[in-house]
Amino acid sequence: MVTDRIERHIVTLREVAEAAGVSISTVSRVLDERTPASRSATAQRVRAIADELGYRRNVFASGLRRGATATIGVLVPRLTDAVMALLFEAVERAARRDGYFAVVATCGDDPDEERRATETLLDRSVDGLILATARIDDALPASLRARGIPHVLALRTDGTSPSSLGDDEAGGYLAVRHLIDLGHREIGIVTGPWFTSSGQDRRAGAERAMREAGVEMREEWVTSTGYGVDDGIAAGHALLSGSERPTAVFAANDNLAIGVLSAAGNLGLVPGATLSVVGYNDIPLVSKLPVPLTSVHTPFDQIASAAMQLLTSADSAAPVILRALPTLIPRASTARPLR
């Protein structure tokens, strides 16, 4: 007896994605029956094309993809920033302890690049994402929540997605309280970008310390800028070049503080003598400067471990926000004012 054998072509996710003009990860999420069905035009088109091509979900393979690659995707603006490099190294250590492998992608400050990098990580079947991109108005976390993709925000929060960060309000308070306790009453503040939760919270902590001590916050001595050294140099010159200048400056990250120190030196001011400066994050470089920098220490390993716990917990989609307490590390860049 001759038996006719019919070879049946198995339609793949890639074929559906190519026909629909979307990414493989988008097709996977749209066709995943374990998540609420999206009613968007894209989702409806993907489902229609999948039906037309005769796609059938491979339940076994899908199970392997979800939670079986043991890979975590980490998204940062850039690795040339010491804070982002320290965070990724801390996440990699925490992930390795939990049996995961961490991979990193960079996106600069461009929302389009952020989305592209995210889709690239998802196309590589990462089990979840840790995002250290900084904008409060970033649409990506809301998109990930809507798509049911496990993710945690690190070093910042949008108030909704699971987040692990330092207590930036407490850190700003510690920095300025230290200056007040030394006797400073004329204090300048260089904050980070206003669109970051860290920039807002560190300024709020500084304001609280000054309010409690009855110290006036002079708006002309408060500058919101980027987080780079050049931003700190420009802010330092603006603060310190006038006939009236502060006797102390709180800079909301160490790069800014290094820039302020550079500007102060150009203007003939001596850190720890004629000017006191406090930074934030306590990156390794600052303890080795010619005048070691007083800084607020951010516990990166604690933040990274908490981020991994949130990411791998069963209720990681819940709006849980964990804040690790920072500590102030006094060094030679701060002293009692001379005038």
Side-chain angles (χ1 to χ4, degrees):
M1 180 176 69
V2 178
T3 301
D4 290 333
R5 182 179 173 186
I6 301 175
E7 292 289 341
R8 180 183 171 193
H9 173 65
I10 307 237
V11 178
T12 66
L13 285 173
R14 181 177 297 279
E15 290 172 305
V16 177
E18 290 174 352
V22 298
S23 68
I24 296 172
S25 61
T26 296
V27 173
S28 177
R29 287 186 292 279
V30 168
L31 300 181
D32 190 340
E33 298 168 356
R34 295 166 294 182
T35 59
S38 171
R39 297 183 181 179
S40 70
T42 297
Q44 292 175 11
R45 185 174 78 255
V46 167
R47 284 193 288 268
I49 290 173
D51 288 341
E52 181 181 337
L53 295 177
Y55 173 80
R56 294 294 178 270
R57 186 169 73 92
N58 184 331
V59 177
F60 180 69
S62 178
L64 285 179
R65 281 195 301 273
R66 184 176 291 271
T69 64
T71 304
I72 299 300
V74 183
L75 188 62
V76 300
R78 57 192 61 80
L79 285 172
T80 52
D81 184 324
V83 171
M84 293 297 106
L86 289 169
L87 175 68
F88 175 67
E89 290 178 359
V91 169
E92 195 279 330
R93 287 190 293 270
R96 191 172 352 116
R97 285 195 301 269
D98 291 344
Y100 287 84
F101 178 72
V103 296
V104 66
T106 60
C107 61
D109 298 309
D110 186 336
D112 291 333
E113 284 299 303
E114 182 186 40
R115 287 190 290 271
R116 180 201 59 77
T118 298
E119 293 302 322
T120 298
L121 289 170
L122 293 173
D123 284 345
R124 282 153 178 75
S125 300
V126 297
D127 296 336
L129 297 166
I130 293 177
L131 309 176
T133 47
R135 299 191 68 96
I136 293 174
D137 58 359
D138 187 359
L140 180 60
S143 171
L144 296 175
R145 293 194 299 269
R147 292 152 65 184
I149 297 172
H151 66 284
V152 173
L153 309 186
L155 296 183
R156 57 109 175 191
T157 183
D158 66 351
T160 305
S161 282
S163 307
S164 176
L165 63 159
D167 190 331
D168 291 310
E169 197 274 344
Y173 177 89
L174 289 174
V176 173
R177 185 73 242 184
H178 171 66
L179 294 172
I180 291 170
D181 289 344
L182 287 172
H184 292 278
R185 293 297 181 269
E186 298 168 306
I187 300 171
I189 298 173
V190 183
T191 77
W194 191 242
F195 58 73
T196 64
S197 62
S198 58
Q200 291 189 11
D201 290 349
R202 290 170 196 178
R203 171 171 174 163
E207 289 178 335
R208 178 163 67 91
M210 295 175 79
R211 190 169 56 249
E212 284 183 3
V215 174
E216 177 189 4
M217 175 176 280
R218 295 174 55 168
E219 286 300 326
E220 67 269 27
W221 288 350
V222 179
T223 302
S224 176
T225 185
Y227 270 141
V229 173
D230 288 340
D231 299 309
I233 292 174
H237 276 287
L239 276 174
L240 304 173
S241 297
S243 56
E244 284 191 285
R245 62 169 180 81
T247 63
V249 176
F250 165 47
N253 85 344
D254 289 332
N255 284 339
L256 289 173
I258 290 169
V260 170
L261 291 174
S262 175
N266 291 336
L267 294 169
L269 300 174
V270 180
T274 53
L275 179 72
S276 288
V277 180
V278 180
Y280 202 108
N281 285 316
D282 193 34
I283 63 175
L285 171 66
V286 300
S287 65
K288 300 173 177 61
L289 294 173
V291 179
L293 179 69
T294 296
S295 187
V296 177
H297 178 77
T298 297
F300 291 105
D301 282 303
Q302 184 180 347
I303 290 168
S305 295
M308 282 299 302
Q309 290 170 9
L310 287 174
L311 193 62
T312 57
S313 65
D315 61 345
S316 61
V320 177
I321 300 172
L322 302 179
R323 287 182 168 87
L325 282 175
T327 51
L328 180 81
I329 311 297
R331 297 192 180 97
S333 70
T334 52
R336 293 188 175 279
L338 296 180
R339 60 178 175 86

mmCIF file of all heavy atoms in Angstrom, residues 248-280:
data_model
loop_
_atom_site.group_PDB
_atom_site.id
_atom_site.type_symbol
_atom_site.label_atom_id
_atom_site.label_comp_id
_atom_site.label_asym_id
_atom_site.label_seq_id
_atom_site.Cartn_x
_atom_site.Cartn_y
_atom_site.Cartn_z
ATOM 1 N N ALA A 248 28.848 78.173 48.937
ATOM 2 C CA ALA A 248 28.788 76.721 48.802
ATOM 3 C C ALA A 248 27.847 76.372 47.647
ATOM 4 O O ALA A 248 26.912 77.118 47.343
ATOM 5 C CB ALA A 248 28.298 76.068 50.093
ATOM 6 N N VAL A 249 28.110 75.229 47.016
ATOM 7 C CA VAL A 249 27.281 74.751 45.906
ATOM 8 C C VAL A 249 26.970 73.281 46.104
ATOM 9 O O VAL A 249 27.872 72.471 46.382
ATOM 10 C CB VAL A 249 27.994 74.950 44.545
ATOM 11 C CG1 VAL A 249 27.148 74.350 43.409
ATOM 12 C CG2 VAL A 249 28.265 76.426 44.273
ATOM 13 N N PHE A 250 25.683 72.928 45.983
ATOM 14 C CA PHE A 250 25.274 71.528 45.895
ATOM 15 C C PHE A 250 24.996 71.224 44.437
ATOM 16 O O PHE A 250 24.126 71.826 43.812
ATOM 17 C CB PHE A 250 24.020 71.264 46.735
ATOM 18 C CG PHE A 250 23.340 69.952 46.410
ATOM 19 C CD1 PHE A 250 24.066 68.770 46.293
ATOM 20 C CD2 PHE A 250 21.961 69.893 46.202
ATOM 21 C CE1 PHE A 250 23.447 67.559 45.983
ATOM 22 C CE2 PHE A 250 21.327 68.695 45.898
ATOM 23 C CZ PHE A 250 22.071 67.524 45.782
ATOM 24 N N ALA A 251 25.763 70.304 43.871
ATOM 25 C CA ALA A 251 25.580 69.864 42.487
ATOM 26 C C ALA A 251 24.948 68.482 42.502
ATOM 27 O O ALA A 251 25.410 67.588 43.203
ATOM 28 C CB ALA A 251 26.924 69.831 41.759
ATOM 29 N N ALA A 252 23.888 68.312 41.689
ATOM 30 C CA ALA A 252 23.044 67.127 41.814
ATOM 31 C C ALA A 252 23.611 65.875 41.167
ATOM 32 O O ALA A 252 22.939 64.845 41.131
ATOM 33 C CB ALA A 252 21.650 67.414 41.260
ATOM 34 N N ASN A 253 24.835 65.916 40.651
ATOM 35 C CA ASN A 253 25.582 64.682 40.405
ATOM 36 C C ASN A 253 27.075 65.024 40.401
ATOM 37 O O ASN A 253 27.464 66.204 40.406
ATOM 38 C CB ASN A 253 25.112 63.944 39.142
ATOM 39 C CG ASN A 253 25.758 64.439 37.858
ATOM 40 O OD1 ASN A 253 26.341 65.511 37.803
ATOM 41 N ND2 ASN A 253 25.620 63.672 36.801
ATOM 42 N N ASP A 254 27.908 64.003 40.402
ATOM 43 C CA ASP A 254 29.347 64.247 40.545
ATOM 44 C C ASP A 254 29.943 64.905 39.310
ATOM 45 O O ASP A 254 30.892 65.695 39.420
ATOM 46 C CB ASP A 254 30.071 62.932 40.849
ATOM 47 C CG ASP A 254 29.787 62.419 42.247
ATOM 48 O OD1 ASP A 254 29.508 63.247 43.130
ATOM 49 O OD2 ASP A 254 29.834 61.189 42.453
ATOM 50 N N ASN A 255 29.431 64.592 38.110
ATOM 51 C CA ASN A 255 29.925 65.262 36.910
ATOM 52 C C ASN A 255 29.708 66.766 37.013
ATOM 53 O O ASN A 255 30.600 67.566 36.682
ATOM 54 C CB ASN A 255 29.208 64.728 35.665
ATOM 55 C CG ASN A 255 29.710 63.364 35.246
ATOM 56 O OD1 ASN A 255 30.806 62.957 35.608
ATOM 57 N ND2 ASN A 255 28.903 62.662 34.474
ATOM 58 N N LEU A 256 28.521 67.165 37.447
ATOM 59 C CA LEU A 256 28.248 68.587 37.638
ATOM 60 C C LEU A 256 29.192 69.194 38.669
ATOM 61 O O LEU A 256 29.712 70.301 38.483
ATOM 62 C CB LEU A 256 26.800 68.792 38.070
ATOM 63 C CG LEU A 256 25.720 68.551 37.013
ATOM 64 C CD1 LEU A 256 24.331 68.629 37.643
ATOM 65 C CD2 LEU A 256 25.846 69.567 35.884
ATOM 66 N N ALA A 257 29.408 68.471 39.762
ATOM 67 C CA ALA A 257 30.298 68.973 40.811
ATOM 68 C C ALA A 257 31.725 69.141 40.294
ATOM 69 O O ALA A 257 32.399 70.140 40.603
ATOM 70 C CB ALA A 257 30.272 68.030 42.008
ATOM 71 N N ILE A 258 32.199 68.195 39.493
ATOM 72 C CA ILE A 258 33.543 68.303 38.915
ATOM 73 C C ILE A 258 33.615 69.526 38.006
ATOM 74 O O ILE A 258 34.615 70.262 37.992
ATOM 75 C CB ILE A 258 33.903 67.011 38.154
ATOM 76 C CG1 ILE A 258 34.103 65.862 39.158
ATOM 77 C CG2 ILE A 258 35.152 67.201 37.306
ATOM 78 C CD1 ILE A 258 34.196 64.496 38.517
ATOM 79 N N GLY A 259 32.547 69.760 37.244
ATOM 80 C CA GLY A 259 32.511 70.952 36.406
ATOM 81 C C GLY A 259 32.541 72.228 37.223
ATOM 82 O O GLY A 259 33.237 73.191 36.877
ATOM 83 N N VAL A 260 31.787 72.267 38.329
ATOM 84 C CA VAL A 260 31.792 73.441 39.212
ATOM 85 C C VAL A 260 33.190 73.646 39.795
ATOM 86 O O VAL A 260 33.687 74.784 39.880
ATOM 87 C CB VAL A 260 30.744 73.289 40.325
ATOM 88 C CG1 VAL A 260 30.906 74.380 41.382
ATOM 89 C CG2 VAL A 260 29.333 73.323 39.744
ATOM 90 N N LEU A 261 33.862 72.559 40.192
ATOM 91 C CA LEU A 261 35.231 72.670 40.716
ATOM 92 C C LEU A 261 36.173 73.256 39.667
ATOM 93 O O LEU A 261 37.042 74.079 39.980
ATOM 94 C CB LEU A 261 35.738 71.296 41.155
ATOM 95 C CG LEU A 261 35.083 70.671 42.399
ATOM 96 C CD1 LEU A 261 35.604 69.257 42.604
ATOM 97 C CD2 LEU A 261 35.344 71.526 43.635
ATOM 98 N N SER A 262 36.002 72.829 38.418
ATOM 99 C CA SER A 262 36.843 73.351 37.338
ATOM 100 C C SER A 262 36.614 74.848 37.148
ATOM 101 O O SER A 262 37.576 75.635 37.038
ATOM 102 C CB SER A 262 36.542 72.602 36.038
ATOM 103 O OG SER A 262 37.250 73.154 34.948
ATOM 104 N N ALA A 263 35.342 75.248 37.131
ATOM 105 C CA ALA A 263 35.023 76.673 36.990
ATOM 106 C C ALA A 263 35.567 77.473 38.167
ATOM 107 O O ALA A 263 36.112 78.580 37.993
ATOM 108 C CB ALA A 263 33.506 76.848 36.873
ATOM 109 N N ALA A 264 35.449 76.929 39.360
ATOM 110 C CA ALA A 264 35.944 77.617 40.558
ATOM 111 C C ALA A 264 37.450 77.836 40.469
ATOM 112 O O ALA A 264 37.965 78.924 40.796
ATOM 113 C CB ALA A 264 35.594 76.811 41.807
ATOM 114 N N GLY A 265 38.163 76.805 40.020
ATOM 115 C CA GLY A 265 39.610 76.938 39.882
ATOM 116 C C GLY A 265 39.993 78.023 38.885
ATOM 117 O O GLY A 265 40.937 78.783 39.109
ATOM 118 N N ASN A 266 39.244 78.085 37.772
ATOM 119 C CA ASN A 266 39.521 79.124 36.765
ATOM 120 C C ASN A 266 39.289 80.526 37.316
ATOM 121 O O ASN A 266 39.886 81.496 36.834
ATOM 122 C CB ASN A 266 38.647 78.903 35.534
ATOM 123 C CG ASN A 266 39.036 77.659 34.759
ATOM 124 O OD1 ASN A 266 40.177 77.207 34.843
ATOM 125 N ND2 ASN A 266 38.101 77.102 34.005
ATOM 126 N N LEU A 267 38.400 80.629 38.308
ATOM 127 C CA LEU A 267 38.071 81.923 38.895
ATOM 128 C C LEU A 267 38.888 82.230 40.148
ATOM 129 O O LEU A 267 38.663 83.233 40.825
ATOM 130 C CB LEU A 267 36.576 81.961 39.239
ATOM 131 C CG LEU A 267 35.622 81.904 38.030
ATOM 132 C CD1 LEU A 267 34.186 81.664 38.492
ATOM 133 C CD2 LEU A 267 35.714 83.193 37.217
ATOM 134 N N GLY A 268 39.845 81.356 40.467
ATOM 135 C CA GLY A 268 40.722 81.593 41.603
ATOM 136 C C GLY A 268 40.156 81.183 42.945
ATOM 137 O O GLY A 268 40.708 81.539 43.995
ATOM 138 N N LEU A 269 39.068 80.413 42.945
ATOM 139 C CA LEU A 269 38.477 79.936 44.192
ATOM 140 C C LEU A 269 39.082 78.587 44.560
ATOM 141 O O LEU A 269 39.413 77.779 43.685
ATOM 142 C CB LEU A 269 36.962 79.817 44.046
ATOM 143 C CG LEU A 269 36.222 81.123 43.689
ATOM 144 C CD1 LEU A 269 34.751 80.842 43.417
ATOM 145 C CD2 LEU A 269 36.374 82.142 44.815
ATOM 146 N N VAL A 270 39.204 78.339 45.861
ATOM 147 C CA VAL A 270 39.843 77.105 46.342
ATOM 148 C C VAL A 270 38.794 76.234 47.026
ATOM 149 O O VAL A 270 38.234 76.625 48.066
ATOM 150 C CB VAL A 270 40.979 77.426 47.341
ATOM 151 C CG1 VAL A 270 41.634 76.131 47.824
ATOM 152 C CG2 VAL A 270 42.000 78.357 46.703
ATOM 153 N N PRO A 271 38.497 75.054 46.463
ATOM 154 C CA PRO A 271 37.523 74.154 47.096
ATOM 155 C C PRO A 271 37.963 73.771 48.497
ATOM 156 O O PRO A 271 39.137 73.466 48.743
ATOM 157 C CB PRO A 271 37.513 72.932 46.174
ATOM 158 C CG PRO A 271 38.018 73.437 44.863
ATOM 159 C CD PRO A 271 38.999 74.520 45.193
ATOM 160 N N GLY A 272 37.020 73.833 49.441
ATOM 161 C CA GLY A 272 37.337 73.514 50.820
ATOM 162 C C GLY A 272 37.913 74.687 51.587
ATOM 163 O O GLY A 272 38.205 74.562 52.775
ATOM 164 N N ALA A 273 38.088 75.843 50.890
ATOM 165 C CA ALA A 273 38.578 77.054 51.559
ATOM 166 C C ALA A 273 37.633 78.201 51.243
ATOM 167 O O ALA A 273 36.803 78.580 52.050
ATOM 168 C CB ALA A 273 40.009 77.353 51.118
ATOM 169 N N THR A 274 37.739 78.740 50.029
ATOM 170 C CA THR A 274 36.862 79.854 49.647
ATOM 171 C C THR A 274 35.562 79.400 48.996
ATOM 172 O O THR A 274 34.701 80.222 48.699
ATOM 173 C CB THR A 274 37.604 80.801 48.691
ATOM 174 O OG1 THR A 274 38.142 80.040 47.596
ATOM 175 C CG2 THR A 274 38.727 81.514 49.418
ATOM 176 N N LEU A 275 35.417 78.114 48.763
ATOM 177 C CA LEU A 275 34.166 77.565 48.217
ATOM 178 C C LEU A 275 34.018 76.119 48.666
ATOM 179 O O LEU A 275 34.975 75.352 48.633
ATOM 180 C CB LEU A 275 34.161 77.617 46.687
ATOM 181 C CG LEU A 275 32.907 77.056 46.010
ATOM 182 C CD1 LEU A 275 31.717 78.001 46.203
ATOM 183 C CD2 LEU A 275 33.145 76.806 44.521
ATOM 184 N N SER A 276 32.810 75.745 49.098
ATOM 185 C CA SER A 276 32.500 74.353 49.424
ATOM 186 C C SER A 276 31.601 73.770 48.338
ATOM 187 O O SER A 276 30.692 74.451 47.848
ATOM 188 C CB SER A 276 31.803 74.250 50.785
ATOM 189 O OG SER A 276 32.709 74.503 51.839
ATOM 190 N N VAL A 277 31.868 72.527 47.947
ATOM 191 C CA VAL A 277 31.097 71.866 46.887
ATOM 192 C C VAL A 277 30.737 70.454 47.336
ATOM 193 O O VAL A 277 31.594 69.709 47.837
ATOM 194 C CB VAL A 277 31.897 71.800 45.559
ATOM 195 C CG1 VAL A 277 31.072 71.103 44.470
ATOM 196 C CG2 VAL A 277 32.297 73.194 45.103
ATOM 197 N N VAL A 278 29.463 70.094 47.134
ATOM 198 C CA VAL A 278 28.976 68.731 47.389
ATOM 199 C C VAL A 278 28.443 68.153 46.083
ATOM 200 O O VAL A 278 27.690 68.825 45.363
ATOM 201 C CB VAL A 278 27.855 68.711 48.445
ATOM 202 C CG1 VAL A 278 27.367 67.270 48.688
ATOM 203 C CG2 VAL A 278 28.325 69.333 49.747
ATOM 204 N N GLY A 279 28.823 66.917 45.764
ATOM 205 C CA GLY A 279 28.305 66.215 44.592
ATOM 206 C C GLY A 279 27.307 65.143 44.983
ATOM 207 O O GLY A 279 26.848 65.074 46.134
ATOM 208 N N TYR A 280 26.995 64.295 44.017
ATOM 209 C CA TYR A 280 25.993 63.249 44.266
ATOM 210 C C TYR A 280 26.335 62.024 43.440
ATOM 211 O O TYR A 280 26.647 62.127 42.259
ATOM 212 C CB TYR A 280 24.602 63.761 43.874
ATOM 213 C CG TYR A 280 23.458 63.028 44.552
ATOM 214 C CD1 TYR A 280 22.714 63.640 45.550
ATOM 215 C CD2 TYR A 280 23.135 61.725 44.212
ATOM 216 C CE1 TYR A 280 21.667 62.990 46.183
ATOM 217 C CE2 TYR A 280 22.109 61.056 44.832
ATOM 218 C CZ TYR A 280 21.360 61.689 45.813
ATOM 219 O OH TYR A 280 20.329 61.023 46.441
#
